């Protein structure tokens, strides 16, 4: 899907200011002078942020951006209770699953970004009134292809020989009453809190889009990720340094085969709700860019962002790129391998000074390890108790499995 042509408009108000502002302390160690920010915003950066982490939509990379931003500024995260990885998913979110939340007496949280099935009335119990709400959508064609590999163990996909096999025999493989059925149909619609098996009509999809527009300040598009980051950092009054990132939880695309036009049409039809939402917000995404900035400004910022990413890769990464899971040397940086997907990761360069190593490590740390680190920072005593209990359980299980002496 091609990006629309821009109308010529003046640059985003208030964003282009003095040049040569100092690089942020986080990025300063060991980085080339060329990474100095291109501008510094005069507005006040937003720090109360909610991100709806939609599955398989580059959302782990956004999550890493939020983790780093919040950690550098000592902000508080609304983390899953007991160090879980998700916020009650796939059930509707309730405030009580946030660690440290006590109705009416909890200190305010700054950032919430773990997987949940969205229910705004419950999110509002946790987050401040001035919270900025945003999410991201992905072309359902690519999302379905990715989901089939990643969620291969779910009830709908498990016995299907291929994605085409599933699409050709959905009545055989798909049971809408199964609790994991959403992984194989209209997954984005489900994550936003709607019925993924709901009726498909122009009126219905328009209503869903209007509800999302009312509840969210911004919806990004994964296929235009760098453009999305420019729009996001302007909306949040952040700098380019705040949104520079490497892809996190990215699947190895070399294992994929090109989809036929027939398969593409079947995916669109099967995920009709997701498809209509994607079309709507792809249009509104470009309308917002067109209204708020010039084409020259967007191209300038995207180019600067990509240059930062390139320089960071030179500074941080062996080979300046991602690697296969079996090539990852530091298990702290090894992403979870799930289903039949091949998730890529990174190796850091040897010999980095400690400050640069920590900065680079944060850029490539998978979400499970990063979440654990943030949990230990916010809830050190409970994190210790959970760790001790886990170790005791592991030791007990190993003892049970150990054969008795004198027996073969």
């Amino acid at each position: 899907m091609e990006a629309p042509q821009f109308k010529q408009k003046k640059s985003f108000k208030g964003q282009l200011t003095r040049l040569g502002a100092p690089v942020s302390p986080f990025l300063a160690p060991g980085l080339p002078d060329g990474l100095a920010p291109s501008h510094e915003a005069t507005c006040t950066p937003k720090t109360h942020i909610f991100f709806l982490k939609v599955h398989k939509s580059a959302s782990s990379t956004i999550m890493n951006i939020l983790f780093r931003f919040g950690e550098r500024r000592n902000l508080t995260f609304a983390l899953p209770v007991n160090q879980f990885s998700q916020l009650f998913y796939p059930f509707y979110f309730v405030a009580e699953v946030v660690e440290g939340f006590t109705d009416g007496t909890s200190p305010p949280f700054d950032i919430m970004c773990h997987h949940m099935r969205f229910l705004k009335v419950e999110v509002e119990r946790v987050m401040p009134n001035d919270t900025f709400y945003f999410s991201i959508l992905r072309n359902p064609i690519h999302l379905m292809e990715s989901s089939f590999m990643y969620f291969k163990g779910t009830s709908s996909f498990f016995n299907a020989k291929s994605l085409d096999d599933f699409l050709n025999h959905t009545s055989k493989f798909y049971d809408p009453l199964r609790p994991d059925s959403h992984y194989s149909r209209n997954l984005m619609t489900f994550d936003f809190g709607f019925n993924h098996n709901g009726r498909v009509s122009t009126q219905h999809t328009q209503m869903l889009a209007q509800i999302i527009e009312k509840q969210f300040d911004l919806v990004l598009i994964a296929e235009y990720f760098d453009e999305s980051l420019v729009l996001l950092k302007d909306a949040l009054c952040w700098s380019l340094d705040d949104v520079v990132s490497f892809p996190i939880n990215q699947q190895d695309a070399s294992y994929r085969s090109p989809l036929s036009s027939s398969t593409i049409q079947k995916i669109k039809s099967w995920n009709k709700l997701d498809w209509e939402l994607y079309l709507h917000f792809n249009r509104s995404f470009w309308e917002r860019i067109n209204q708020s900035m010039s084409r020259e400004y967007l191209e300038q910022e995207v180019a600067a962002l990509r240059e930062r990413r390139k320089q960071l890769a030179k500074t941080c990464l062996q080979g300046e790129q991602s690697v296969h899971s079996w090539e990852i040397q530091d298990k702290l940086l090894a992403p979870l391998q799930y289903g039949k997907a091949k998730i890529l990761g990174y190796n850091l360069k040897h010999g980095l000074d400690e400050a640069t190593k920590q900065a680079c490590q944060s850029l490539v740390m998978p979400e499970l390890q990063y979440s654990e680190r943030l949990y230990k920072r916010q809830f050190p005593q409970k994190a210790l108790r959970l760790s001790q209990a886990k170790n005791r359980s592991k030791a007990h299980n190993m003892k049970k499995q150990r054969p008795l002496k004198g027996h073969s």
Side-chain angles (χ1 to χ4, degrees):
M1 185 175 296
E2 295 294 328
Q5 295 297 313
F6 283 77
K7 298 175 184 177
Q8 295 302 312
K9 289 185 177 285
K10 61 183 179 180
S11 296
F12 190 81
K13 185 178 180 181
Q15 291 301 314
L16 291 177
T17 56
R18 61 186 176 87
L19 299 176
V23 70
S24 68
F26 172 71
L27 291 176
L31 296 187
D33 293 337
L35 279 183
S38 59
H39 68 270
E40 183 178 284
T42 57
C43 47
T44 302
K46 290 181 172 61
T47 56
H48 295 156
I49 302 158
F50 172 85
F51 172 58
L52 179 61
K53 189 175 185 288
V54 175
H55 285 81
K56 315 316 301 172
S57 300
S59 56
S60 293
T61 305
I62 298 287
M63 191 183 206
N64 178 269
I65 290 171
L66 295 173
F67 280 171
R68 288 184 285 116
F69 181 88
E71 186 178 38
R72 294 197 302 272
R73 291 158 180 81
N74 201 32
L75 303 179
T76 58
F77 289 84
L79 301 171
V81 69
N82 293 330
Q83 209 169 309
F84 293 149
S85 61
Q86 300 178 339
L87 290 164
F88 207 40
Y89 193 87
F91 304 102
Y92 278 109
F93 171 75
V94 291
E96 283 74 16
V97 301
V98 173
E99 188 70 78
F101 173 81
T102 304
D103 204 5
T105 61
S106 294
F109 293 94
D110 297 305
I111 299 175
M112 180 184 283
C113 56
H114 284 73
H115 275 308
M116 69 162 63
R117 190 175 188 197
F118 186 62
L119 188 59
K120 190 168 187 180
V121 66
E122 287 293 313
V123 174
E124 289 176 333
R125 294 175 59 199
V126 177
M127 298 300 291
N129 293 333
D130 63 347
T131 295
F132 182 91
Y133 287 75
F134 80 103
S135 188
I136 188 169
L137 293 179
R138 185 184 184 187
N139 188 318
I141 298 167
H142 308 314
L143 187 146
M144 184 74 173
E145 185 181 19
S146 178
S147 294
F148 182 79
M149 296 299 293
Y150 197 80
F151 300 117
K152 190 65 173 70
T154 59
S155 62
S156 298
F157 292 151
F158 185 74
N159 292 313
K161 296 177 183 178
S162 65
L163 179 55
D164 276 313
D165 186 31
F166 171 79
L167 293 168
N168 290 333
H169 305 95
T170 53
S171 60
K172 172 184 176 182
F173 297 117
Y174 183 77
D175 182 354
L177 299 181
R178 291 288 183 94
D180 61 357
S181 65
H182 58 283
Y183 289 116
S184 56
R185 188 177 198 187
N186 292 314
L187 179 53
M188 296 188 293
T189 299
F190 181 88
D191 286 354
F192 272 92
F194 304 119
N195 179 8
H196 62 298
N197 290 304
R199 68 183 186 275
V200 178
S201 68
T202 301
Q203 183 179 5
H204 183 64
T205 54
Q206 286 179 348
M207 180 189 70
L208 298 187
Q210 289 171 1
I211 293 173
I212 294 172
E213 286 179 332
K214 184 177 180 181
Q215 295 178 327
F216 286 81
D217 299 292
L218 180 63
V219 177
L220 308 178
I221 299 296
E223 281 69 32
Y224 302 104
F225 192 72
D226 289 343
E227 292 84 354
S228 290
L229 292 183
V230 171
L231 189 59
L232 177 66
K233 64 97 176 170
D234 281 0
L236 294 176
C237 192
W238 291 6
S239 71
L240 280 174
D241 294 310
D242 292 323
V243 298
V244 68
S245 56
F246 295 134
I248 302 294
N249 206 35
Q250 185 179 43
Q251 292 190 34
D252 185 354
S254 66
Y255 287 87
R256 298 176 184 171
S257 301
L259 299 177
S260 67
S261 58
S262 173
T263 299
I264 289 172
Q265 290 305 316
K266 290 172 186 175
I267 292 175
K268 290 180 182 180
S269 177
W270 180 247
N271 297 278
K272 186 65 172 176
L273 291 174
D274 273 7
W275 179 248
E276 293 299 326
L277 286 179
Y278 177 78
L279 291 179
H280 176 92
F281 283 101
N282 185 65
R283 288 191 298 268
S284 66
F285 173 83
W286 289 104
E287 287 170 359
R288 179 155 179 168
I289 284 181
N290 198 21
Q291 292 166 4
S292 62
M293 65 185 70
S294 69
R295 183 170 186 172
E296 289 78 10
Y297 173 78
L298 178 64
E299 291 176 349
Q300 168 194 318
E301 295 298 280
V302 167
L305 181 65
R306 291 173 178 170
E307 179 62 22
R308 279 174 170 72
R309 187 179 295 129
K310 182 179 179 181
Q311 293 292 344
L312 280 169
K314 289 181 179 179
T315 298
C316 296
L317 305 180
Q318 294 182 31
E320 301 180 21
Q321 60 185 0
S322 57
V323 297
H324 297 290
S325 59
W326 58 86
E327 298 175 298
I328 299 173
Q329 299 159 4
D330 185 352
K331 297 308 175 185
L332 179 65
L333 304 181
L336 175 69
Q337 300 296 316
Y338 198 75
K340 288 195 172 184
K342 308 297 181 183
I343 308 300
L344 302 174
Y346 300 92
N347 285 321
L348 298 185
K349 282 187 174 180
H350 299 297
L352 299 174
D353 65 79
E354 190 58 30
T356 303
K357 180 182 177 181
Q358 290 181 10
C360 293
Q361 191 178 69
S362 295
L363 273 163
V364 301
M365 186 173 290
E367 61 186 83
L368 294 182
Q369 291 92 313
Y370 213 143
S371 291
E372 182 178 355
R373 184 166 91 178
L374 294 174
Y375 189 95
K376 289 178 179 178
R377 179 177 67 87
Q378 284 188 208
F379 307 102
Q381 294 182 343
K382 186 167 184 180
L384 179 61
R385 292 197 302 270
L386 290 171
S387 178
Q388 291 172 340
K390 183 178 179 180
N391 290 335
R392 286 195 299 268
S393 176
K394 183 178 180 180
H396 177 71
N397 290 335
M398 291 178 64
K399 186 176 181 180
K400 286 175 62 178
Q401 295 172 6
R402 189 178 303 149
L404 296 175
K405 291 183 178 180
H407 291 267
S408 58

